[in-house]
Amino acid sequence: QVQLVESGGGLVQPGGSLRLSCAASGRIFSIYDMGWYRQAPGKQRELVAAITSGISGTITNYADSVKGRFTISRDNAKNTVYLQMNSLKPEDTAVYYCRMRRTAASDYWGQGTQVTVSS
C-alpha cells in the first residue's frame, strides 16, 4: 500500500517562507521521480517542481512562476521529498500535492496540504 503524507503547509505572510515535506512509504522511494503540484480554487492543477529519481543523477525542473524562489530536494534515506518555498506571494496560495511516479501504472498522489499566503 503506497502512502504519501504531506506536511508543512499553513498560513504565512507575503515574503515569508515555508518548507513542505512529503513522506513516502510502500515502495522503493529512490527509483521514483517526485513532484510537487498545486491547485488554486477555480484553477487546474499545475506542476510546481519536480526531481528525478537520481539513478543517473537528479535533475530538477521548476515552473517559471517559482524559479529562484522554490527549491525541491529529496532525501532517499528518509523516503522524503521537500519543497522549500521562499519569498512567498499571495498567488502561491493553493493546495499543494506530492506526486510519486515511475510509470503510468505506478503513479501516486498525496492528499494535499493547504498553503495560504496572506497578510
Side-chain angles (χ1 to χ4, degrees):
Q1 185 78 4
V2 175
Q3 271 198 318
L4 297 175
V5 180
E6 299 107 330
S7 61
L11 173 64
V12 64
Q13 292 187 342
S17 297
L18 283 174
R19 188 175 83 153
L20 305 183
S21 299
C22 173
S25 62
R27 289 292 185 271
I28 303 173
F29 177 79
S30 61
I31 66 174
Y32 281 78
D33 296 334
M34 301 297 297
W36 286 98
Y37 291 70
R38 67 187 180 188
Q39 187 166 19
K43 295 189 177 182
Q44 288 190 329
R45 191 173 297 189
E46 62 176 358
L47 174 68
V48 176
I51 185 166
T52 58
S53 63
I55 293 174
S56 302
T58 57
I59 298 172
T60 58
N61 182 43
Y62 296 92
D64 287 343
S65 59
V66 307
K67 282 180 181 176
R69 300 188 298 122
F70 290 12
T71 303
I72 189 170
S73 62
R74 65 189 298 158
D75 186 338
N76 289 340
K78 296 182 178 180
N79 289 358
T80 301
V81 63
Y82 303 97
L83 184 68
Q84 179 66 44
M85 306 187 293
N86 298 328
S87 302
L88 282 161
K89 305 175 181 180
E91 51 263 44
D92 294 318
T93 296
V95 178
Y96 284 70
Y97 297 90
C98 174
R99 183 184 190 185
M100 182 167 78
R101 188 180 191 281
R102 188 179 181 206
T103 66
S106 297
D107 191 353
Y108 309 99
W109 291 85
Q111 82 289 349
T113 185
Q114 176 70 45
V115 171
T116 302
V117 184
S118 175
S119 55

